[in-house]
Amino acid sequence: GESVGLHLPTLSVQEGDNSIINCAYSNSASDYFIWYKQESGKGPQFIIDIRSNMDKRQGQRVTVLLNKTVKHLSLQIAATQPGDSAVYFCAENIGGNTPLVFGKGTRLSVIA
Amino acid sequence: DAGVTQSPTHLIKTRGQQVTLRCSPKSGHDTVSWYQQALGQGPQFIFQYYEEEERQRGNFPDRFSGHQFPNYSSELNVNALLLGDSALYLCASSLGTRWGNTIYFGEGSWLTVV
């Protein structure tokens, strides 16, 4: 399928290592943050979310960290697997059902 | 439990033509949003429908219009297609307007304008 991330920053990680993908956001009013994974030719897949009243949230093999002071969000993937290879986007909104604003995306490439 | 479904998956149109894309939200969801994703970019918000009305709109011209039906499904229409309209069009669904409801995306419709 077509690729949606032809010229994105790329993070290359050895299989089994931990990955950290970073995202800077600009709107200090943002209240809710989501990480999405997008594989080639597919739509964004929800990974994990976090509210602005939290600074850390853990899921299965993933952790999201939020630093509101510097407006920074990160996604940590433990024991990265080849199936984790994809483009990762952070998204934010100001709460409720307001539109999501997406970051530029990072391509994660897992080296077997 | 079906997720968000979109049709068609791929289509090719000529400049000046019109296109209609369709979306069925995830079961139980009543809010549908449309996003445009150009190559190498993140999705950009087009508009959102709730209770059959356009509730919010992004920075897109009036050539982009939509509709939501009583069963919560939705259509995106684009008139007078331009080459720059070539993109992946994503439908996202969620439940109501409550804070922090998870927003799920469909697989998208790839539109190529030639």
Side-chain angles (χ1 to χ4, degrees):
Chain A
E2 294 88 336
S3 170
V4 296
L6 294 181
H7 304 292
L8 295 171
T10 298
L11 174 66
S12 296
V13 177
Q14 290 284 343
E15 181 180 0
D17 286 353
N18 297 333
S19 302
I20 300 177
I21 301 172
N22 296 304
C23 176
Y25 65 93
S26 57
N27 189 353
S28 57
S30 288
D31 197 36
Y32 177 58
F33 305 86
I34 311 172
W35 280 100
Y36 286 96
K37 171 187 180 183
Q38 189 170 27
E39 297 176 275
S40 181
K42 296 188 175 182
Q45 176 188 354
F46 173 88
I47 301 173
I48 192 168
D49 58 3
I50 188 168
R51 299 183 179 189
S52 61
N53 62 352
M54 304 169 68
D55 54 21
K56 180 179 180 179
R57 191 173 188 206
Q58 289 183 295
Q60 186 176 13
R61 279 201 310 120
V62 295
T63 301
V64 56
L65 299 178
L66 175 62
N67 184 331
K68 294 182 289 295
T69 302
V70 295
K71 291 187 282 191
H72 183 269
L73 192 70
S74 68
L75 175 70
Q76 300 178 1
I77 304 174
T80 312
Q81 304 168 359
D84 295 326
S85 293
V87 176
Y88 288 80
F89 290 98
C90 64
E92 62 191 273
N93 72 10
I94 59 173
N97 218 354
T98 54
L100 290 174
V101 176
F102 282 79
K104 295 186 184 302
T106 297
R107 179 183 302 282
L108 176 64
S109 179
V110 181
I111 305 166
Chain B
D1 178 19
V4 181
T5 58
Q6 293 186 242
S7 64
T9 54
H10 293 78
L11 70 168
I12 300 173
K13 290 287 189 177
T14 305
R15 275 183 302 174
Q17 284 189 315
Q18 179 265 347
V19 67
T20 297
L21 308 178
R22 297 176 176 81
C23 171
S24 292
K26 181 178 171 61
S27 178
H29 285 184
D30 58 7
T31 302
V32 172
S33 298
W34 287 91
Y35 290 77
Q36 180 195 65
Q37 186 174 25
L39 283 175
Q41 304 291 323
Q44 298 287 319
F45 175 75
I46 303 175
F47 43 53
Q48 179 190 82
Y49 279 84
Y50 173 68
E51 293 184 335
E52 301 180 49
E53 291 187 7
E54 182 181 297
R55 298 291 178 163
Q56 301 179 76
R57 189 177 183 93
N59 188 25
F60 280 81
D62 292 344
R63 298 187 297 109
F64 289 76
S65 63
H67 188 77
Q68 185 178 36
F69 299 94
N71 67 352
Y72 308 122
S73 67
S74 176
E75 288 182 350
L76 164 65
N77 300 293
V78 186
N79 294 323
L81 285 166
L82 303 173
L83 295 180
D85 294 331
S86 295
L88 176 66
Y89 288 85
L90 295 162
C91 173
S93 77
S94 58
L95 177 60
T97 57
R98 290 173 56 196
W99 187 96
N101 280 320
T102 303
I103 301 166
Y104 293 94
F105 283 83
E107 297 297 280
S109 294
W110 285 98
L111 171 65
T112 301
V113 182
V114 297

